[in-house]
Amino acid sequence: TDFTMTACCLQDDASVILETLAEHRRVTAIDMSTNALGQTSAQALSGLLSSCHSSVSKLNVSGNKLGQHAGLIFEALAGNSIVYDFDFSSNPQSRVKTRDGIHDVIGRASEKMLQQNTGLKSFSLARCDLLKEGAICVIQGLASNSTLTSLSLMGNFIRMNLQGNLDDSSNCLGWDTQRVAKALAATLQHNFTIRYLDLEDNDCNRLPLTILCTVLAQRPELVDLRF
């Protein structure tokens, strides 16, 4: 059974619905995209993903306000082996400032989740404002993941650093393309399950592809790589 409430102006009142669905064994797909789900809904999503009664295998919460609460949601997803398709796209985030600097919430949470999850096959973080550092975190998490086959990081401004500026500290192209390319090359040397990787709309045409060519030549199973 599919449950769909898209573009219904849902806010945190959706938490009551999610709490009910967490106990409904017949619901296998939930689509609550294009609403305004926030913190309370994130807590309910965490409960649903942790529930031993839930049969949900496809979850679409794209286009909401969940970016700042990704840590809570992805921590629960890390231990979930039922959900195989999770769309978290278009949940932009703000930066978290600590004494150690500025941190990327979604990127770091995704890295930890991908290192632990054993059921996810399709994962979208498109248009989540990851920037370069967040994208690298996700790519690093992918290195030890053995189930994911499809990952979308499109439209995440990975040309930018966490301060929102072009990073001109590393090379004549005006930004540190090599960090992204090297992280991806290192990951693809260890991950042999990913088949679709979408990096479109990130200005990735400037990636130094020579860093990737050797690895890509050894990865015939990566059938769709988009820049």
Side-chain angles (χ1 to χ4, degrees):
T1 302
D2 293 358
F3 180 88
T4 302
M5 289 190 73
T6 63
C8 290
C9 300
L10 293 175
Q11 299 184 30
D12 278 338
D13 48 354
S15 61
V16 177
I17 301 172
L18 289 166
E19 289 168 359
T20 302
L21 292 175
E23 303 298 320
H24 202 305
R25 293 183 182 274
R26 292 188 178 182
V27 175
T28 57
I30 296 175
D31 186 347
M32 284 190 170
S33 58
T34 321
N35 285 292
L37 309 188
Q39 182 175 4
T40 305
S41 296
Q43 293 171 345
L45 280 169
S46 175
L48 183 148
L49 292 168
S50 302
S51 174
C52 60
H53 303 294
S54 174
S55 299
V56 174
S57 58
K58 296 182 67 176
L59 183 57
N60 185 348
V61 291
S62 62
N64 281 285
K65 298 180 179 180
L66 297 167
Q68 286 303 104
H69 315 294
L72 182 65
I73 298 169
F74 292 174
E75 182 178 0
L77 185 60
N80 183 298
S81 59
I82 299 176
V83 174
Y84 69 84
D85 189 336
F86 186 43
D87 190 343
F88 197 75
S89 60
S90 299
N91 276 286
Q93 62 182 335
S94 300
R95 306 297 155 194
V96 175
K97 294 183 179 181
T98 68
R99 293 179 179 178
D100 299 325
I102 305 174
H103 297 300
D104 184 289
V105 176
I106 296 178
R108 290 195 171 195
S110 297
E111 180 178 13
K112 293 179 181 178
M113 182 275 291
L114 289 171
Q115 290 170 344
Q116 300 175 43
N117 183 274
T118 58
L120 202 60
K121 295 183 181 299
S122 178
F123 186 34
S124 178
L125 289 173
R127 299 177 296 278
C128 282
D129 195 23
L130 291 177
L131 307 186
K132 178 174 58 186
E133 284 80 357
I136 289 175
C137 283
V138 178
I139 290 169
Q140 289 174 340
L142 190 62
S144 57
N145 185 282
S146 60
T147 59
L148 199 71
T149 59
S150 174
L151 174 64
S152 176
L153 297 177
M154 71 172 292
N156 273 295
F157 305 104
I158 64 174
R159 187 183 177 188
M160 301 288 186
N161 59 26
L162 285 174
Q163 286 71 36
N165 302 314
L166 297 182
D167 190 341
D168 59 359
S169 60
S170 300
N171 57 57
C172 60
L173 291 177
W175 60 293
D176 190 358
T177 53
Q178 291 196 4
R179 282 186 58 202
V180 178
K182 286 180 178 179
L184 184 55
T187 286
L188 293 177
Q189 288 178 334
H190 299 282
N191 180 293
F192 298 97
T193 55
I194 196 74
R195 298 179 184 279
Y196 171 85
L197 180 59
D198 188 357
L199 295 171
E200 287 186 305
D201 196 20
N202 281 303
D203 205 10
C204 284
N205 60 307
R206 297 190 181 185
L207 278 175
L209 295 181
T210 52
I211 296 176
L212 292 171
C213 284
T214 302
V215 176
L216 292 174
Q218 301 170 356
R219 289 294 313 278
E221 67 277 8
L222 183 57
V223 295
D224 197 343
L225 176 61
R226 303 186 181 188
F227 289 109

